mmCIF file with all atom_site columns, all heavy atoms in Angstrom:
data_model
loop_
_atom_site.group_PDB
_atom_site.id
_atom_site.type_symbol
_atom_site.label_atom_id
_atom_site.label_alt_id
_atom_site.label_comp_id
_atom_site.label_asym_id
_atom_site.label_entity_id
_atom_site.label_seq_id
_atom_site.pdbx_PDB_ins_code
_atom_site.Cartn_x
_atom_site.Cartn_y
_atom_site.Cartn_z
_atom_site.occupancy
_atom_site.B_iso_or_equiv
_atom_site.pdbx_formal_charge
_atom_site.auth_seq_id
_atom_site.auth_comp_id
_atom_site.auth_asym_id
_atom_site.auth_atom_id
_atom_site.pdbx_PDB_model_num
ATOM 1   N N   . LEU H 1 1  ? 0.835   -1.193 0.000  1.00 94.00 ? 1  LEU H N   1
ATOM 2   C CA  . LEU H 1 1  ? 0.000   0.000  0.000  1.00 94.00 ? 1  LEU H CA  1
ATOM 3   C C   . LEU H 1 1  ? 0.875   1.250  0.000  1.00 94.00 ? 1  LEU H C   1
ATOM 4   O O   . LEU H 1 1  ? 1.841   1.344  0.750  1.00 94.00 ? 1  LEU H O   1
ATOM 5   C CB  . LEU H 1 1  ? -0.898  -0.001 1.251  1.00 94.00 ? 1  LEU H CB  1
ATOM 6   C CG  . LEU H 1 1  ? -1.840  1.181  1.425  1.00 94.00 ? 1  LEU H CG  1
ATOM 7   C CD1 . LEU H 1 1  ? -2.936  1.144  0.370  1.00 94.00 ? 1  LEU H CD1 1
ATOM 8   C CD2 . LEU H 1 1  ? -2.432  1.161  2.814  1.00 94.00 ? 1  LEU H CD2 1
ATOM 9   N N   . SER H 1 2  ? 0.510   2.210  -0.829 1.00 96.00 ? 2  SER H N   1
ATOM 10  C CA  . SER H 1 2  ? 1.260   3.468  -0.865 1.00 96.00 ? 2  SER H CA  1
ATOM 11  C C   . SER H 1 2  ? 0.735   4.406  0.225  1.00 96.00 ? 2  SER H C   1
ATOM 12  O O   . SER H 1 2  ? -0.387  4.244  0.720  1.00 96.00 ? 2  SER H O   1
ATOM 13  C CB  . SER H 1 2  ? 1.100   4.143  -2.230 1.00 96.00 ? 2  SER H CB  1
ATOM 14  O OG  . SER H 1 2  ? -0.235  4.600  -2.402 1.00 96.00 ? 2  SER H OG  1
ATOM 15  N N   . LEU H 1 3  ? 1.531   5.393  0.561  1.00 96.00 ? 3  LEU H N   1
ATOM 16  C CA  . LEU H 1 3  ? 1.104   6.393  1.537  1.00 96.00 ? 3  LEU H CA  1
ATOM 17  C C   . LEU H 1 3  ? -0.140  7.112  1.023  1.00 96.00 ? 3  LEU H C   1
ATOM 18  O O   . LEU H 1 3  ? -1.084  7.347  1.770  1.00 96.00 ? 3  LEU H O   1
ATOM 19  C CB  . LEU H 1 3  ? 2.227   7.396  1.824  1.00 96.00 ? 3  LEU H CB  1
ATOM 20  C CG  . LEU H 1 3  ? 1.869   8.538  2.780  1.00 96.00 ? 3  LEU H CG  1
ATOM 21  C CD1 . LEU H 1 3  ? 1.450   7.998  4.142  1.00 96.00 ? 3  LEU H CD1 1
ATOM 22  C CD2 . LEU H 1 3  ? 3.031   9.506  2.917  1.00 96.00 ? 3  LEU H CD2 1
ATOM 23  N N   . ARG H 1 4  ? -0.153  7.423  -0.242 1.00 97.00 ? 4  ARG H N   1
ATOM 24  C CA  . ARG H 1 4  ? -1.310  8.092  -0.848 1.00 97.00 ? 4  ARG H CA  1
ATOM 25  C C   . ARG H 1 4  ? -2.573  7.243  -0.696 1.00 97.00 ? 4  ARG H C   1
ATOM 26  O O   . ARG H 1 4  ? -3.638  7.742  -0.347 1.00 97.00 ? 4  ARG H O   1
ATOM 27  C CB  . ARG H 1 4  ? -1.037  8.385  -2.317 1.00 97.00 ? 4  ARG H CB  1
ATOM 28  C CG  . ARG H 1 4  ? -2.176  9.083  -3.009 1.00 97.00 ? 4  ARG H CG  1
ATOM 29  C CD  . ARG H 1 4  ? -1.799  9.433  -4.438 1.00 97.00 ? 4  ARG H CD  1
ATOM 30  N NE  . ARG H 1 4  ? -2.891  10.137 -5.054 1.00 97.00 ? 4  ARG H NE  1
ATOM 31  C CZ  . ARG H 1 4  ? -3.375  9.848  -6.239 1.00 97.00 ? 4  ARG H CZ  1
ATOM 32  N NH1 . ARG H 1 4  ? -2.834  8.889  -6.964 1.00 97.00 ? 4  ARG H NH1 1
ATOM 33  N NH2 . ARG H 1 4  ? -4.369  10.534 -6.746 1.00 97.00 ? 4  ARG H NH2 1
ATOM 34  N N   . GLY H 1 5  ? -2.450  5.950  -0.961 1.00 97.00 ? 5  GLY H N   1
ATOM 35  C CA  . GLY H 1 5  ? -3.583  5.045  -0.816 1.00 97.00 ? 5  GLY H CA  1
ATOM 36  C C   . GLY H 1 5  ? -4.085  4.999  0.614  1.00 97.00 ? 5  GLY H C   1
ATOM 37  O O   . GLY H 1 5  ? -5.294  4.981  0.869  1.00 97.00 ? 5  GLY H O   1
ATOM 38  N N   . LEU H 1 6  ? -3.156  4.995  1.557  1.00 97.00 ? 6  LEU H N   1
ATOM 39  C CA  . LEU H 1 6  ? -3.546  4.989  2.970  1.00 97.00 ? 6  LEU H CA  1
ATOM 40  C C   . LEU H 1 6  ? -4.231  6.294  3.349  1.00 97.00 ? 6  LEU H C   1
ATOM 41  O O   . LEU H 1 6  ? -5.265  6.277  4.026  1.00 97.00 ? 6  LEU H O   1
ATOM 42  C CB  . LEU H 1 6  ? -2.303  4.750  3.847  1.00 97.00 ? 6  LEU H CB  1
ATOM 43  C CG  . LEU H 1 6  ? -2.533  4.712  5.358  1.00 97.00 ? 6  LEU H CG  1
ATOM 44  C CD1 . LEU H 1 6  ? -2.562  5.973  6.077  1.00 97.00 ? 6  LEU H CD1 1
ATOM 45  C CD2 . LEU H 1 6  ? -3.495  3.661  5.755  1.00 97.00 ? 6  LEU H CD2 1
ATOM 46  N N   . VAL H 1 7  ? -3.690  7.417  2.914  1.00 98.00 ? 7  VAL H N   1
ATOM 47  C CA  . VAL H 1 7  ? -4.274  8.720  3.240  1.00 98.00 ? 7  VAL H CA  1
ATOM 48  C C   . VAL H 1 7  ? -5.705  8.802  2.708  1.00 98.00 ? 7  VAL H C   1
ATOM 49  O O   . VAL H 1 7  ? -6.615  9.246  3.420  1.00 98.00 ? 7  VAL H O   1
ATOM 50  C CB  . VAL H 1 7  ? -3.402  9.879  2.690  1.00 98.00 ? 7  VAL H CB  1
ATOM 51  C CG1 . VAL H 1 7  ? -4.143  11.202 2.722  1.00 98.00 ? 7  VAL H CG1 1
ATOM 52  C CG2 . VAL H 1 7  ? -2.099  9.983  3.477  1.00 98.00 ? 7  VAL H CG2 1
ATOM 53  N N   . LEU H 1 8  ? -5.920  8.340  1.485  1.00 98.00 ? 8  LEU H N   1
ATOM 54  C CA  . LEU H 1 8  ? -7.272  8.372  0.912  1.00 98.00 ? 8  LEU H CA  1
ATOM 55  C C   . LEU H 1 8  ? -8.232  7.495  1.714  1.00 98.00 ? 8  LEU H C   1
ATOM 56  O O   . LEU H 1 8  ? -9.371  7.882  1.972  1.00 98.00 ? 8  LEU H O   1
ATOM 57  C CB  . LEU H 1 8  ? -7.244  7.921  -0.547 1.00 98.00 ? 8  LEU H CB  1
ATOM 58  C CG  . LEU H 1 8  ? -6.588  8.896  -1.521 1.00 98.00 ? 8  LEU H CG  1
ATOM 59  C CD1 . LEU H 1 8  ? -6.450  8.263  -2.901 1.00 98.00 ? 8  LEU H CD1 1
ATOM 60  C CD2 . LEU H 1 8  ? -7.383  10.195 -1.605 1.00 98.00 ? 8  LEU H CD2 1
ATOM 61  N N   . ARG H 1 9  ? -7.783  6.332  2.142  1.00 98.00 ? 9  ARG H N   1
ATOM 62  C CA  . ARG H 1 9  ? -8.634  5.427  2.918  1.00 98.00 ? 9  ARG H CA  1
ATOM 63  C C   . ARG H 1 9  ? -8.938  5.991  4.313  1.00 98.00 ? 9  ARG H C   1
ATOM 64  O O   . ARG H 1 9  ? -10.073 5.963  4.775  1.00 98.00 ? 9  ARG H O   1
ATOM 65  C CB  . ARG H 1 9  ? -7.983  4.055  3.029  1.00 98.00 ? 9  ARG H CB  1
ATOM 66  C CG  . ARG H 1 9  ? -8.047  3.250  1.741  1.00 98.00 ? 9  ARG H CG  1
ATOM 67  C CD  . ARG H 1 9  ? -7.150  2.011  1.839  1.00 98.00 ? 9  ARG H CD  1
ATOM 68  N NE  . ARG H 1 9  ? -7.222  1.166  0.680  1.00 98.00 ? 9  ARG H NE  1
ATOM 69  C CZ  . ARG H 1 9  ? -6.546  1.360  -0.454 1.00 98.00 ? 9  ARG H CZ  1
ATOM 70  N NH1 . ARG H 1 9  ? -5.734  2.408  -0.568 1.00 98.00 ? 9  ARG H NH1 1
ATOM 71  N NH2 . ARG H 1 9  ? -6.674  0.523  -1.465 1.00 98.00 ? 9  ARG H NH2 1
ATOM 72  N N   . ALA H 1 10 ? -7.918  6.506  4.985  1.00 98.00 ? 10 ALA H N   1
ATOM 73  C CA  . ALA H 1 10 ? -8.116  7.062  6.327  1.00 98.00 ? 10 ALA H CA  1
ATOM 74  C C   . ALA H 1 10 ? -9.024  8.292  6.274  1.00 98.00 ? 10 ALA H C   1
ATOM 75  O O   . ALA H 1 10 ? -9.935  8.439  7.089  1.00 98.00 ? 10 ALA H O   1
ATOM 76  C CB  . ALA H 1 10 ? -6.769  7.411  6.964  1.00 98.00 ? 10 ALA H CB  1
ATOM 77  N N   . PHE H 1 11 ? -8.782  9.146  5.308  1.00 98.00 ? 11 PHE H N   1
ATOM 78  C CA  . PHE H 1 11 ? -9.603  10.344 5.150  1.00 98.00 ? 11 PHE H CA  1
ATOM 79  C C   . PHE H 1 11 ? -11.044 9.958  4.816  1.00 98.00 ? 11 PHE H C   1
ATOM 80  O O   . PHE H 1 11 ? -11.995 10.538 5.354  1.00 98.00 ? 11 PHE H O   1
ATOM 81  C CB  . PHE H 1 11 ? -9.018  11.260 4.062  1.00 98.00 ? 11 PHE H CB  1
ATOM 82  C CG  . PHE H 1 11 ? -9.730  12.566 3.923  1.00 98.00 ? 11 PHE H CG  1
ATOM 83  C CD1 . PHE H 1 11 ? -9.473  13.602 4.810  1.00 98.00 ? 11 PHE H CD1 1
ATOM 84  C CD2 . PHE H 1 11 ? -10.667 12.761 2.922  1.00 98.00 ? 11 PHE H CD2 1
ATOM 85  C CE1 . PHE H 1 11 ? -10.137 14.821 4.692  1.00 98.00 ? 11 PHE H CE1 1
ATOM 86  C CE2 . PHE H 1 11 ? -11.336 13.973 2.795  1.00 98.00 ? 11 PHE H CE2 1
ATOM 87  C CZ  . PHE H 1 11 ? -11.069 15.002 3.681  1.00 98.00 ? 11 PHE H CZ  1
ATOM 88  N N   . GLY H 1 12 ? -11.207 8.965  3.958  1.00 98.00 ? 12 GLY H N   1
ATOM 89  C CA  . GLY H 1 12 ? -12.550 8.507  3.578  1.00 98.00 ? 12 GLY H CA  1
ATOM 90  C C   . GLY H 1 12 ? -13.321 7.944  4.753  1.00 98.00 ? 12 GLY H C   1
ATOM 91  O O   . GLY H 1 12 ? -14.495 8.283  4.963  1.00 98.00 ? 12 GLY H O   1
ATOM 92  N N   . LEU H 1 13 ? -12.685 7.081  5.546  1.00 98.00 ? 13 LEU H N   1
ATOM 93  C CA  . LEU H 1 13 ? -13.364 6.505  6.712  1.00 98.00 ? 13 LEU H CA  1
ATOM 94  C C   . LEU H 1 13 ? -13.682 7.588  7.739  1.00 98.00 ? 13 LEU H C   1
ATOM 95  O O   . LEU H 1 13 ? -14.768 7.615  8.307  1.00 98.00 ? 13 LEU H O   1
ATOM 96  C CB  . LEU H 1 13 ? -12.509 5.399  7.342  1.00 98.00 ? 13 LEU H CB  1
ATOM 97  C CG  . LEU H 1 13 ? -13.107 4.740  8.584  1.00 98.00 ? 13 LEU H CG  1
ATOM 98  C CD1 . LEU H 1 13 ? -14.466 4.104  8.282  1.00 98.00 ? 13 LEU H CD1 1
ATOM 99  C CD2 . LEU H 1 13 ? -12.139 3.697  9.140  1.00 98.00 ? 13 LEU H CD2 1
ATOM 100 N N   . SER H 1 14 ? -12.748 8.489  7.958  1.00 98.00 ? 14 SER H N   1
ATOM 101 C CA  . SER H 1 14 ? -12.976 9.575  8.906  1.00 98.00 ? 14 SER H CA  1
ATOM 102 C C   . SER H 1 14 ? -14.134 10.463 8.440  1.00 98.00 ? 14 SER H C   1
ATOM 103 O O   . SER H 1 14 ? -14.982 10.865 9.246  1.00 98.00 ? 14 SER H O   1
ATOM 104 C CB  . SER H 1 14 ? -11.697 10.403 9.063  1.00 98.00 ? 14 SER H CB  1
ATOM 105 O OG  . SER H 1 14 ? -11.877 11.421 10.009 1.00 98.00 ? 14 SER H OG  1
ATOM 106 N N   . THR H 1 15 ? -14.192 10.748 7.148  1.00 97.00 ? 15 THR H N   1
ATOM 107 C CA  . THR H 1 15 ? -15.286 11.555 6.598  1.00 97.00 ? 15 THR H CA  1
ATOM 108 C C   . THR H 1 15 ? -16.623 10.852 6.792  1.00 97.00 ? 15 THR H C   1
ATOM 109 O O   . THR H 1 15 ? -17.618 11.476 7.183  1.00 97.00 ? 15 THR H O   1
ATOM 110 C CB  . THR H 1 15 ? -15.051 11.845 5.100  1.00 97.00 ? 15 THR H CB  1
ATOM 111 O OG1 . THR H 1 15 ? -13.813 12.552 4.955  1.00 97.00 ? 15 THR H OG1 1
ATOM 112 C CG2 . THR H 1 15 ? -16.175 12.677 4.504  1.00 97.00 ? 15 THR H CG2 1
ATOM 113 N N   . LEU H 1 16 ? -16.646 9.554  6.550  1.00 96.00 ? 16 LEU H N   1
ATOM 114 C CA  . LEU H 1 16 ? -17.869 8.770  6.759  1.00 96.00 ? 16 LEU H CA  1
ATOM 115 C C   . LEU H 1 16 ? -18.343 8.876  8.207  1.00 96.00 ? 16 LEU H C   1
ATOM 116 O O   . LEU H 1 16 ? -19.528 9.126  8.476  1.00 96.00 ? 16 LEU H O   1
ATOM 117 C CB  . LEU H 1 16 ? -17.623 7.304  6.394  1.00 96.00 ? 16 LEU H CB  1
ATOM 118 C CG  . LEU H 1 16 ? -18.758 6.344  6.717  1.00 96.00 ? 16 LEU H CG  1
ATOM 119 C CD1 . LEU H 1 16 ? -19.839 6.441  5.648  1.00 96.00 ? 16 LEU H CD1 1
ATOM 120 C CD2 . LEU H 1 16 ? -18.235 4.931  6.814  1.00 96.00 ? 16 LEU H CD2 1
ATOM 121 N N   . LEU H 1 17 ? -17.421 8.717  9.145  1.00 96.00 ? 17 LEU H N   1
ATOM 122 C CA  . LEU H 1 17 ? -17.778 8.777  10.563 1.00 96.00 ? 17 LEU H CA  1
ATOM 123 C C   . LEU H 1 17 ? -18.216 10.178 10.986 1.00 96.00 ? 17 LEU H C   1
ATOM 124 O O   . LEU H 1 17 ? -19.179 10.333 11.736 1.00 96.00 ? 17 LEU H O   1
ATOM 125 C CB  . LEU H 1 17 ? -16.605 8.300  11.417 1.00 96.00 ? 17 LEU H CB  1
ATOM 126 C CG  . LEU H 1 17 ? -16.317 6.804  11.327 1.00 96.00 ? 17 LEU H CG  1
ATOM 127 C CD1 . LEU H 1 17 ? -14.954 6.473  11.918 1.00 96.00 ? 17 LEU H CD1 1
ATOM 128 C CD2 . LEU H 1 17 ? -17.402 5.997  11.998 1.00 96.00 ? 17 LEU H CD2 1
ATOM 129 N N   . GLU H 1 18 ? -17.524 11.205 10.512 1.00 94.00 ? 18 GLU H N   1
ATOM 130 C CA  . GLU H 1 18 ? -17.897 12.583 10.859 1.00 94.00 ? 18 GLU H CA  1
ATOM 131 C C   . GLU H 1 18 ? -19.264 12.938 10.290 1.00 94.00 ? 18 GLU H C   1
ATOM 132 O O   . GLU H 1 18 ? -20.078 13.568 10.971 1.00 94.00 ? 18 GLU H O   1
ATOM 133 C CB  . GLU H 1 18 ? -16.838 13.571 10.346 1.00 94.00 ? 18 GLU H CB  1
ATOM 134 C CG  . GLU H 1 18 ? -15.541 13.550 11.121 1.00 94.00 ? 18 GLU H CG  1
ATOM 135 C CD  . GLU H 1 18 ? -15.700 13.962 12.573 1.00 94.00 ? 18 GLU H CD  1
ATOM 136 O OE1 . GLU H 1 18 ? -16.293 15.026 12.846 1.00 94.00 ? 18 GLU H OE1 1
ATOM 137 O OE2 . GLU H 1 18 ? -15.243 13.207 13.449 1.00 94.00 ? 18 GLU H OE2 1
ATOM 138 N N   . CYS H 1 19 ? -19.532 12.531 9.051  1.00 90.00 ? 19 CYS H N   1
ATOM 139 C CA  . CYS H 1 19 ? -20.835 12.805 8.447  1.00 90.00 ? 19 CYS H CA  1
ATOM 140 C C   . CYS H 1 19 ? -21.935 12.033 9.169  1.00 90.00 ? 19 CYS H C   1
ATOM 141 O O   . CYS H 1 19 ? -23.044 12.557 9.364  1.00 90.00 ? 19 CYS H O   1
ATOM 142 C CB  . CYS H 1 19 ? -20.822 12.458 6.958  1.00 90.00 ? 19 CYS H CB  1
ATOM 143 S SG  . CYS H 1 19 ? -19.841 13.612 5.972  1.00 90.00 ? 19 CYS H SG  1
ATOM 144 N N   . ALA H 1 20 ? -21.655 10.806 9.577  1.00 90.00 ? 20 ALA H N   1
ATOM 145 C CA  . ALA H 1 20 ? -22.638 10.009 10.318 1.00 90.00 ? 20 ALA H CA  1
ATOM 146 C C   . ALA H 1 20 ? -22.976 10.677 11.648 1.00 90.00 ? 20 ALA H C   1
ATOM 147 O O   . ALA H 1 20 ? -24.139 10.682 12.062 1.00 90.00 ? 20 ALA H O   1
ATOM 148 C CB  . ALA H 1 20 ? -22.115 8.595  10.539 1.00 90.00 ? 20 ALA H CB  1
ATOM 149 N N   . GLN H 1 21 ? -21.979 11.257 12.304 1.00 89.00 ? 21 GLN H N   1
ATOM 150 C CA  . GLN H 1 21 ? -22.251 11.971 13.564 1.00 89.00 ? 21 GLN H CA  1
ATOM 151 C C   . GLN H 1 21 ? -23.238 13.111 13.330 1.00 89.00 ? 21 GLN H C   1
ATOM 152 O O   . GLN H 1 21 ? -24.160 13.316 14.112 1.00 89.00 ? 21 GLN H O   1
ATOM 153 C CB  . GLN H 1 21 ? -20.962 12.547 14.152 1.00 89.00 ? 21 GLN H CB  1
ATOM 154 C CG  . GLN H 1 21 ? -20.069 11.537 14.798 1.00 89.00 ? 21 GLN H CG  1
ATOM 155 C CD  . GLN H 1 21 ? -18.877 12.215 15.455 1.00 89.00 ? 21 GLN H CD  1
ATOM 156 O OE1 . GLN H 1 21 ? -18.918 12.498 16.632 1.00 89.00 ? 21 GLN H OE1 1
ATOM 157 N NE2 . GLN H 1 21 ? -17.844 12.459 14.690 1.00 89.00 ? 21 GLN H NE2 1
ATOM 158 N N   . GLY H 1 22 ? -23.030 13.838 12.239 1.00 84.00 ? 22 GLY H N   1
ATOM 159 C CA  . GLY H 1 22 ? -23.939 14.939 11.927 1.00 84.00 ? 22 GLY H CA  1
ATOM 160 C C   . GLY H 1 22 ? -25.313 14.454 11.504 1.00 84.00 ? 22 GLY H C   1
ATOM 161 O O   . GLY H 1 22 ? -26.331 14.982 11.948 1.00 84.00 ? 22 GLY H O   1
ATOM 162 N N   . LEU H 1 23 ? -25.360 13.440 10.666 1.00 84.00 ? 23 LEU H N   1
ATOM 163 C CA  . LEU H 1 23 ? -26.625 12.916 10.160 1.00 84.00 ? 23 LEU H CA  1
ATOM 164 C C   . LEU H 1 23 ? -27.494 12.357 11.274 1.00 84.00 ? 23 LEU H C   1
ATOM 165 O O   . LEU H 1 23 ? -28.703 12.582 11.310 1.00 84.00 ? 23 LEU H O   1
ATOM 166 C CB  . LEU H 1 23 ? -26.355 11.830 9.110  1.00 84.00 ? 23 LEU H CB  1
ATOM 167 C CG  . LEU H 1 23 ? -27.568 11.206 8.447  1.00 84.00 ? 23 LEU H CG  1
ATOM 168 C CD1 . LEU H 1 23 ? -28.313 12.241 7.617  1.00 84.00 ? 23 LEU H CD1 1
ATOM 169 C CD2 . LEU H 1 23 ? -27.145 10.034 7.581  1.00 84.00 ? 23 LEU H CD2 1
ATOM 170 N N   . PHE H 1 24 ? -26.861 11.638 12.199 1.00 85.00 ? 24 PHE H N   1
ATOM 171 C CA  . PHE H 1 24 ? -27.605 11.031 13.297 1.00 85.00 ? 24 PHE H CA  1
ATOM 172 C C   . PHE H 1 24 ? -27.696 11.935 14.527 1.00 85.00 ? 24 PHE H C   1
ATOM 173 O O   . PHE H 1 24 ? -28.247 11.536 15.555 1.00 85.00 ? 24 PHE H O   1
ATOM 174 C CB  . PHE H 1 24 ? -26.985 9.692  13.698 1.00 85.00 ? 24 PHE H CB  1
ATOM 175 C CG  . PHE H 1 24 ? -27.136 8.613  12.659 1.00 85.00 ? 24 PHE H CG  1
ATOM 176 C CD1 . PHE H 1 24 ? -26.031 8.118  11.991 1.00 85.00 ? 24 PHE H CD1 1
ATOM 177 C CD2 . PHE H 1 24 ? -28.384 8.099  12.354 1.00 85.00 ? 24 PHE H CD2 1
ATOM 178 C CE1 . PHE H 1 24 ? -26.169 7.119  11.038 1.00 85.00 ? 24 PHE H CE1 1
ATOM 179 C CE2 . PHE H 1 24 ? -28.531 7.097  11.407 1.00 85.00 ? 24 PHE H CE2 1
ATOM 180 C CZ  . PHE H 1 24 ? -27.423 6.613  10.737 1.00 85.00 ? 24 PHE H CZ  1
ATOM 181 N N   . SER H 1 25 ? -27.119 13.127 14.452 1.00 83.00 ? 25 SER H N   1
ATOM 182 C CA  . SER H 1 25 ? -27.114 14.080 15.581 1.00 83.00 ? 25 SER H CA  1
ATOM 183 C C   . SER H 1 25 ? -26.550 13.444 16.845 1.00 83.00 ? 25 SER H C   1
ATOM 184 O O   . SER H 1 25 ? -27.112 13.566 17.933 1.00 83.00 ? 25 SER H O   1
ATOM 185 C CB  . SER H 1 25 ? -28.529 14.607 15.855 1.00 83.00 ? 25 SER H CB  1
ATOM 186 O OG  . SER H 1 25 ? -29.004 15.315 14.751 1.00 83.00 ? 25 SER H OG  1
ATOM 187 N N   . ILE H 1 26 ? -25.432 12.762 16.698 1.00 85.00 ? 26 ILE H N   1
ATOM 188 C CA  . ILE H 1 26 ? -24.796 12.122 17.857 1.00 85.00 ? 26 ILE H CA  1
ATOM 189 C C   . ILE H 1 26 ? -23.371 12.625 18.036 1.00 85.00 ? 26 ILE H C   1
ATOM 190 O O   . ILE H 1 26 ? -22.532 11.951 18.598 1.00 85.00 ? 26 ILE H O   1
ATOM 191 C CB  . ILE H 1 26 ? -24.827 10.572 17.741 1.00 85.00 ? 26 ILE H CB  1
ATOM 192 C CG1 . ILE H 1 26 ? -24.310 10.112 16.384 1.00 85.00 ? 26 ILE H CG1 1
ATOM 193 C CG2 . ILE H 1 26 ? -26.214 10.051 17.989 1.00 85.00 ? 26 ILE H CG2 1
ATOM 194 C CD1 . ILE H 1 26 ? -24.304 8.613  16.194 1.00 85.00 ? 26 ILE H CD1 1
ATOM 195 N N   . GLY H 1 27 ? -23.135 13.797 17.568 1.00 84.00 ? 27 GLY H N   1
ATOM 196 C CA  . GLY H 1 27 ? -21.827 14.429 17.658 1.00 84.00 ? 27 GLY H CA  1
ATOM 197 C C   . GLY H 1 27 ? -21.831 15.591 16.692 1.00 84.00 ? 27 GLY H C   1
ATOM 198 O O   . GLY H 1 27 ? -22.845 15.874 16.056 1.00 84.00 ? 27 GLY H O   1
ATOM 199 N N   . THR H 1 28 ? -20.719 16.260 16.580 1.00 86.00 ? 28 THR H N   1
ATOM 200 C CA  . THR H 1 28 ? -20.649 17.372 15.635 1.00 86.00 ? 28 THR H CA  1
ATOM 201 C C   . THR H 1 28 ? -19.553 17.108 14.617 1.00 86.00 ? 28 THR H C   1
ATOM 202 O O   . THR H 1 28 ? -18.527 16.501 14.921 1.00 86.00 ? 28 THR H O   1
ATOM 203 C CB  . THR H 1 28 ? -20.351 18.704 16.349 1.00 86.00 ? 28 THR H CB  1
ATOM 204 O OG1 . THR H 1 28 ? -19.154 18.556 17.115 1.00 86.00 ? 28 THR H OG1 1
ATOM 205 C CG2 . THR H 1 28 ? -21.490 19.119 17.252 1.00 86.00 ? 28 THR H CG2 1
ATOM 206 N N   . PHE H 1 29 ? -19.798 17.574 13.412 1.00 90.00 ? 29 PHE H N   1
ATOM 207 C CA  . PHE H 1 29 ? -18.808 17.463 12.355 1.00 90.00 ? 29 PHE H CA  1
ATOM 208 C C   . PHE H 1 29 ? -17.678 18.434 12.659 1.00 90.00 ? 29 PHE H C   1
ATOM 209 O O   . PHE H 1 29 ? -17.910 19.599 12.949 1.00 90.00 ? 29 PHE H O   1
ATOM 210 C CB  . PHE H 1 29 ? -19.435 17.800 10.999 1.00 90.00 ? 29 PHE H CB  1
ATOM 211 C CG  . PHE H 1 29 ? -18.471 17.659 9.856  1.00 90.00 ? 29 PHE H CG  1
ATOM 212 C CD1 . PHE H 1 29 ? -18.405 16.465 9.160  1.00 90.00 ? 29 PHE H CD1 1
ATOM 213 C CD2 . PHE H 1 29 ? -17.631 18.689 9.493  1.00 90.00 ? 29 PHE H CD2 1
ATOM 214 C CE1 . PHE H 1 29 ? -17.511 16.309 8.105  1.00 90.00 ? 29 PHE H CE1 1
ATOM 215 C CE2 . PHE H 1 29 ? -16.736 18.547 8.449  1.00 90.00 ? 29 PHE H CE2 1
ATOM 216 C CZ  . PHE H 1 29 ? -16.677 17.358 7.753  1.00 90.00 ? 29 PHE H CZ  1
ATOM 217 N N   . ASP H 1 30 ? -16.441 17.944 12.597 1.00 95.00 ? 30 ASP H N   1
ATOM 218 C CA  . ASP H 1 30 ? -15.273 18.788 12.826 1.00 95.00 ? 30 ASP H CA  1
ATOM 219 C C   . ASP H 1 30 ? -14.217 18.427 11.799 1.00 95.00 ? 30 ASP H C   1
ATOM 220 O O   . ASP H 1 30 ? -13.691 17.308 11.798 1.00 95.00 ? 30 ASP H O   1
ATOM 221 C CB  . ASP H 1 30 ? -14.736 18.589 14.243 1.00 95.00 ? 30 ASP H CB  1
ATOM 222 C CG  . ASP H 1 30 ? -13.674 19.602 14.626 1.00 95.00 ? 30 ASP H CG  1
ATOM 223 O OD1 . ASP H 1 30 ? -13.063 20.223 13.722 1.00 95.00 ? 30 ASP H OD1 1
ATOM 224 O OD2 . ASP H 1 30 ? -13.434 19.769 15.836 1.00 95.00 ? 30 ASP H OD2 1
ATOM 225 N N   . VAL H 1 31 ? -13.904 19.371 10.931 1.00 96.00 ? 31 VAL H N   1
ATOM 226 C CA  . VAL H 1 31 ? -12.918 19.125 9.879  1.00 96.00 ? 31 VAL H CA  1
ATOM 227 C C   . VAL H 1 31 ? -11.550 18.796 10.484 1.00 96.00 ? 31 VAL H C   1
ATOM 228 O O   . VAL H 1 31 ? -10.769 18.045 9.896  1.00 96.00 ? 31 VAL H O   1
ATOM 229 C CB  . VAL H 1 31 ? -12.854 20.318 8.888  1.00 96.00 ? 31 VAL H CB  1
ATOM 230 C CG1 . VAL H 1 31 ? -12.214 21.529 9.521  1.00 96.00 ? 31 VAL H CG1 1
ATOM 231 C CG2 . VAL H 1 31 ? -12.136 19.935 7.608  1.00 96.00 ? 31 VAL H CG2 1
#
């Protein structure tokens, strides 16, 4: 795995979790 590939995956999963917090109102989105 390249560093770029890892960064895209980590950023993607983090974005999914942050958006889920906002969608379900169980936390706040924080960039």
Side-chain angles (χ1 to χ4, degrees):
L1 180 69
S2 68
L3 177 60
R4 180 176 182 228
L6 180 276
V7 166
L8 289 172
R9 286 169 177 82
F11 185 80
L13 179 59
S14 182
T15 300
L16 173 79
L17 290 166
E18 287 297 309
C19 289
Q21 285 185 95
L23 182 65
F24 292 113
S25 297
I26 50 180
T28 55
F29 182 93
D30 190 340
V31 71

